[in-house]
Amino acid sequence: MPTTRRTFISAAGLTGFAGMLPAAAAVSQDPRGPARYKPSDILRISFLTDSHLPNGNDIPRLSNDQFHHQERIRAAFDLANQFKPDAFVFGGDNVFAVDQSVDGGHLEANARAQFANWKALVKEKVRVPHHSVIGNHDLWLVHPEGLDQKSLAIEGYEMPSRYYSWKMKGWKFLMLDVFGITGSPLDKEQWDWLVAELKEEMPTCIVTHAPILSVTGQLCGGTLGASNEWRELFYTCPHVTLALSGHNHLVDLCKIDKVTYICGGAVSGGWWEGAYFHFPPVFTNFVLYPDGTFAHNFVEYDGPSSKFKQMK
């Protein structure tokens, strides 16, 4: 990989541009971190969202390079593994799309093949725990009668349920299901569960596919809505300091109250056809400290100088 690729660095509580580093460089850390905490107490997370990995037999619509997305996504995982994360977090839309009609070519065999391809990739490249949420393109809308539209995603992403929590090194992650539901901002069952989970006072990260709050949402929409309800809930829970999302394929960061909202772009960029709204393929590495602060960098792993052919 080139050593001149841009990465944007931001520590918790800082919303401005903080510097530039090679993409493969270690994430920027709070200088107090090494002095205050043992390395074993610091949690390292790689956040990959909107990978949109096709069926392994699909040929990209605009490329003569068959399977180029298969090679590109492996490059992303290889670079993320150089960071030596303790866990991977996947922001949904990991497969290309199984939410379209039969007329669009998304038959059962194709849908199952997309999830199988993703599952095989994770088995090949990931040696640490991994956790995912469900994205809108993960909903199998054309499914056999009696089978839930989220069943393939739950199985393919090895999720315990459509929403769930997990903990690691003093941090709690709440993985939410924000599509195909009724209610505002979540279905009542899930909202009540979220409120109960947030009573545990420990550093907490909320993960949704679509952003709860987003700057780039002003360009393309895509946020969840009911912003005041989310804010009021988190305001009473100052241990919630981070909210991660994807969906918009754009990178942004904003902060209100104690919560920093980060939209992590897309591993696939513009669906494997180059940049999207000027944002190239990207993923995010995080260092999370026991006190609820963090540092991160956006890794543009497949820019114009990449060895991979750029789609026009």
Side-chain angles (χ1 to χ4, degrees):
M1 287 295 196
T3 58
T4 58
R5 204 154 304 150
R6 294 182 303 163
T7 52
F8 297 90
I9 316 300
S10 177
L14 299 177
T15 57
F17 175 78
M20 300 178 72
L21 285 177
V27 73
S28 175
Q29 295 190 16
D30 180 338
R32 300 170 300 167
R36 296 175 63 192
Y37 304 114
K38 297 181 297 184
S40 59
D41 293 332
I42 296 172
L43 178 60
R44 300 167 71 87
I45 296 292
S46 286
F47 178 58
L48 283 70
T49 187
D50 295 84
S51 293
H52 289 290
L53 184 64
N55 174 346
N57 296 319
D58 280 352
I59 299 175
R61 291 169 294 169
L62 299 178
S63 174
N64 294 323
D65 298 334
Q66 187 174 1
F67 307 138
H68 74 98
H69 36 61
Q70 310 295 330
E71 185 183 0
R72 282 174 158 172
I73 197 168
R74 280 167 171 78
F77 271 92
D78 287 343
L79 188 56
N81 280 324
Q82 290 182 27
F83 176 64
K84 297 182 179 180
D86 296 298
F88 280 83
V89 176
F90 301 128
D93 280 7
N94 306 322
V95 299
F96 196 76
V98 299
D99 62 321
Q100 301 175 28
S101 68
V102 173
D103 292 337
H106 292 268
L107 302 173
E108 180 174 349
N110 189 312
R112 292 188 180 277
Q114 289 184 46
F115 283 106
N117 193 28
W118 172 262
K119 196 171 183 178
L121 171 72
V122 172
K123 184 177 181 180
E124 173 190 345
K125 293 295 185 180
V126 176
R127 296 291 181 269
V128 294
H130 59 88
H131 310 272
S132 185
V133 293
I134 298 175
N136 55 304
H137 290 295
D138 300 327
L139 303 181
W140 189 21
L141 301 184
V142 187
H143 55 82
E145 185 176 354
L147 193 63
D148 184 82
Q149 63 183 8
K150 299 173 184 176
S151 60
L152 280 189
I154 291 172
E155 190 279 329
Y157 299 159
E158 300 180 276
M159 299 167 58
S161 182
R162 67 185 179 93
Y163 61 88
Y164 59 99
S165 66
W166 57 282
K167 300 176 184 177
M168 183 175 278
K169 292 190 175 182
W171 275 75
K172 186 174 189 176
F173 293 79
L174 299 178
M175 315 292 284
L176 303 184
D177 170 24
V178 296
F179 285 103
I181 60 176
T182 58
S184 176
L186 296 173
D187 56 279
K188 186 178 186 306
E189 172 191 308
Q190 189 176 182
W191 184 259
D192 290 345
W193 171 86
L194 176 62
V195 171
E197 287 283 325
L198 289 177
K199 290 179 180 178
E200 185 174 22
E201 296 184 6
M202 62 186 300
T204 298
C205 173
I206 308 294
V207 184
T208 58
H209 178 62
I212 295 172
L213 288 175
S214 168
V215 176
T216 54
Q218 297 182 61
L219 301 176
C220 64
T223 54
L224 291 179
S227 298
N228 284 333
E229 292 178 67
W230 290 105
R231 183 196 176 195
E232 288 302 318
L233 175 61
F234 297 156
Y235 190 81
T236 64
C237 305
H239 49 285
V240 178
T241 59
L242 182 60
L244 303 181
S245 66
H247 187 53
N248 287 357
H249 290 226
L250 310 177
V251 172
D252 72 29
L253 179 152
C254 61
K255 182 174 181 180
I256 186 171
D257 305 319
K258 300 288 186 179
V259 187
T260 300
Y261 299 85
I262 293 178
C263 187
V267 172
S268 63
W271 293 70
W272 302 108
E273 296 179 12
Y276 183 73
F277 276 73
H278 308 302
F279 288 98
V282 66
F283 64 89
T284 318
N285 287 329
F286 287 88
V287 170
L288 306 177
Y289 296 110
D291 64 357
T293 61
F294 62 91
H296 76 284
N297 69 328
F298 298 117
V299 182
E300 296 180 3
Y301 77 94
D302 191 17
S305 58
S306 166
K307 69 176 182 177
F308 299 110
K309 179 180 177 181
Q310 289 298 296
M311 311 287 283
K312 302 298 183 182

